[in-house]
Amino acid sequence: MENTQYNEINEIQTNEGDEKEFQWYLQSAEGGNNDGQNGLGYCYEKGIGTIEDEEKAFQWYLKSAEGGNSTGQYNLGRCYRKGIGTTKNKEKAFQWYLKSAEGGNSDGQNGLAEGGNSTGQYKLGCHYENGIGTTKDNEKAFQWYSKSAEGGNNNGQYNLAFEWYLESAENGNSEGQNNLGYFYRNGIGTIKNEEKAFQWFLKSAEGGNSYGQNNLGYIYRNGIGTTKDNEKAFGWYLKSAEGGNSDGQNNLGNCYLYGIGTKIDKRKAFQWHLKSAEGGDSNGQYNLGNCYLLGIGTKKDKKKAFEWYLKSAENGNSKGQNNLGYIYRNGIGTTKDEVKAFQWFLKSAEGGNSCGQNNLGYVYRKGIGTTKDKVKAFQCFGQYNLGCCYEKGIGTTKDKKIAFQWYSKSGKGHDPLRGSLRTLVE
């Protein structure tokens, strides 16, 4: 994105040479032209026709920005964000991105939201909704309000996003209906209401939205806001999967694998996990790794198991990260590498996976791929195993809430669905 405004500069550089380019921008900038000041800032930043000097780059961007040049304002915001020729300052970066965006600069608009800044995302939604510095676009406003809400912005912004979803849903938009179901399901911007969540997921699914169909399958599978019904869950997962939804394909694979609402068919389980994995779903990639490792619906292939666990892990899946650690620990389908095993167990644990946390405790205790550390090992084992006791009622009354709290302490969360392969290091 940051190179787009320099296309003209690059062409001049190619045709007339660096020094002529620099001299032209210098004369223009000293004459008070804010386009020239912005161009001169870029020359100093990149060392075009002169010695690279980030401080001078910052100063010329500042002059251009104060002169009202929206590209200069964007570049000044970039300087403050990255610490180019000045001290990093997120607040000032935001202010200059905002000025740039209000001047109609698309890079400034994107700059407002880059890095997942929820306030910037909300502001950008306002710009698109009201046509401030840009063409009015309700669709884009909707998208940025959604990102703002999902990014953890304050309740007022959540409420705004909720109202936006509600209007969209009531107007028959299946995507809005699905998102509204999610808001009701989690109590975002409104009071949690699982019955309403079910109703909106149902409308979205019946409207042909593959995400709504997948979510409705989950709702029926777990009896959220409605009676539990595995056959209906299977039916909606099937519709979602046939519609090309990779999440739905993975869930349909699990239905065939475990006989949820249908007969067990490991070959079909493999085929749907394969479709899901190829579609980029990290859970599908994890499950496909399991299929290849254990020979579920296909021939065992340790190398392919490693490849799919790696894809899943690199996509941030904590279960895939845990199993990849196991793969490296034992040299399955790849060269044995205890350092990498430790690194992936650590990522899995930090991502909230309880098996990864337990495995991390083991490698700390044994000094596998890392320095022995009995204190860290004890912390990993102690908190995780205490969670197990509360979850299963071992020596105490069952209490899933307390179990969850201890799992959270052990690894920032607990995922009770561990998939078809539980790879605890022995």
Side-chain angles (χ1 to χ4, degrees):
M1 180 184 70
E2 293 174 4
N3 290 330
T4 56
Q5 72 269 29
Y6 303 127
N7 288 340
E8 183 180 346
I9 293 174
N10 289 335
E11 287 171 10
I12 294 171
Q13 176 181 335
T14 301
N15 296 329
E16 299 180 20
D18 293 354
E19 291 184 10
K20 288 184 179 180
E21 179 182 357
F22 173 76
Q23 290 299 327
W24 188 90
Y25 280 120
L26 180 61
Q27 290 176 11
S28 176
E30 290 177 341
N33 183 289
N34 54 45
D35 281 324
Q37 292 164 345
N38 176 63
L40 186 61
Y42 182 69
C43 287
Y44 276 120
E45 182 184 353
K46 301 297 181 182
I48 298 173
T50 186
I51 298 171
E52 187 176 309
D53 190 324
E54 291 188 348
E55 289 186 9
K56 285 186 179 179
F58 169 78
Q59 292 299 328
W60 284 109
Y61 285 145
L62 178 61
K63 285 183 181 290
S64 176
E66 290 176 339
N69 186 283
S70 64
T71 304
Q73 291 165 345
Y74 164 72
N75 286 327
L76 185 61
R78 190 168 53 82
C79 287
Y80 277 120
R81 184 170 69 88
K82 295 185 175 182
I84 299 171
T86 189
T87 306
K88 284 185 180 181
N89 189 316
K90 290 183 179 180
E91 290 75 19
K92 287 186 178 180
F94 174 79
Q95 291 167 2
W96 284 109
Y97 280 145
L98 180 59
K99 284 184 182 290
S100 177
E102 289 172 342
N105 187 286
S106 60
D107 287 320
Q109 292 163 358
N110 290 329
L112 276 175
E114 64 189 9
N117 184 296
S118 59
T119 303
Q121 291 164 345
Y122 168 72
K123 289 280 188 182
L124 189 54
C126 291
H127 277 66
Y128 277 119
E129 182 185 9
N130 299 293
I132 301 170
T134 187
T135 305
K136 188 174 181 179
D137 190 323
N138 287 339
E139 227 175 271
K140 287 184 178 178
F142 173 76
Q143 292 169 358
W144 286 112
Y145 282 140
S146 303
K147 286 183 182 292
S148 171
E150 291 166 359
N153 216 294
N154 65 32
N155 288 333
Q157 291 162 0
Y158 273 129
N159 290 339
L160 182 58
F162 171 77
E163 292 298 329
W164 192 270
Y165 282 133
L166 181 61
E167 183 179 350
S168 173
E170 289 175 343
N171 286 334
N173 183 293
S174 64
E175 184 178 351
Q177 291 165 345
N178 175 62
N179 290 335
L180 190 61
Y182 176 80
F183 270 43
Y184 273 121
R185 169 76 179 88
N186 295 283
I188 299 172
T190 187
I191 297 171
K192 184 175 180 177
N193 189 318
E194 292 183 343
E195 288 75 18
K196 286 186 178 180
F198 164 73
Q199 291 166 2
W200 284 111
F201 283 138
L202 178 62
K203 285 183 182 291
S204 176
E206 290 175 341
N209 187 282
S210 65
Y211 292 96
Q213 292 165 344
N214 178 59
N215 286 331
L216 186 61
Y218 179 85
I219 289 290
Y220 274 123
R221 174 78 181 91
N222 294 279
I224 299 170
T226 189
T227 305
K228 184 176 180 178
D229 191 321
N230 283 343
E231 288 185 7
K232 286 184 178 179
F234 170 79
W236 285 110
Y237 283 144
L238 179 61
K239 285 183 182 290
S240 177
E242 290 176 340
N245 187 288
S246 60
D247 286 330
Q249 291 166 344
N250 176 62
N251 288 327
L252 184 62
N254 285 335
C255 287
Y256 280 119
L257 182 61
Y258 300 112
I260 300 168
T262 189
K263 292 181 180 179
I264 290 176
D265 189 325
K266 292 182 179 179
R267 183 64 184 169
K268 286 185 178 178
F270 167 76
Q271 290 169 348
W272 283 110
H273 285 318
L274 177 62
K275 284 184 182 289
S276 174
E278 290 176 340
D281 185 82
S282 67
N283 283 315
Q285 292 164 345
Y286 160 76
N287 283 322
L288 187 60
N290 291 345
C291 289
Y292 278 120
L293 184 65
L294 302 174
I296 299 170
T298 189
K299 290 182 181 179
K300 288 184 179 182
D301 190 321
K302 293 178 180 179
K303 187 177 179 183
K304 286 185 179 179
F306 164 73
E307 290 170 354
W308 285 108
Y309 284 143
L310 179 61
K311 285 182 184 290
S312 176
E314 288 177 339
N315 284 331
N317 188 289
S318 64
K319 293 179 290 186
Q321 291 165 344
N322 175 62
N323 283 15
L324 186 61
Y326 177 83
I327 289 287
Y328 275 122
R329 168 77 178 87
N330 295 281
I332 299 172
T334 188
T335 305
K336 184 174 180 178
D337 191 322
E338 293 184 343
V339 174
K340 286 184 179 179
F342 165 75
Q343 292 169 347
W344 284 110
F345 284 142
L346 178 61
K347 283 184 182 289
S348 177
E350 289 175 344
N353 187 276
S354 56
C355 292
Q357 184 69 22
N358 207 36
N359 287 334
L360 184 64
Y362 180 87
V363 295
Y364 270 130
R365 182 162 67 90
K366 295 290 187 179
I368 298 170
T370 188
T371 306
K372 279 187 180 182
D373 193 322
K374 291 184 178 180
V375 173
K376 286 183 179 179
F378 173 78
Q379 290 172 344
C380 293
F381 284 135
Q383 293 169 342
Y384 166 75
N385 289 328
L386 189 57
C388 288
C389 289
Y390 276 110
E391 183 182 17
K392 297 176 182 179
I394 301 171
T396 186
T397 306
K398 277 188 179 181
D399 192 321
K400 290 186 177 180
K401 189 175 180 181
I402 295 177
F404 176 79
Q405 291 170 355
W406 281 109
Y407 283 134
S408 297
K409 287 178 182 290
S410 74
K412 301 181 184 176
H414 171 57
D415 183 0
L417 301 175
R418 300 188 182 98
S420 60
L421 177 66
R422 186 182 174 114
T423 55
L424 293 179
V425 179
E426 299 177 351

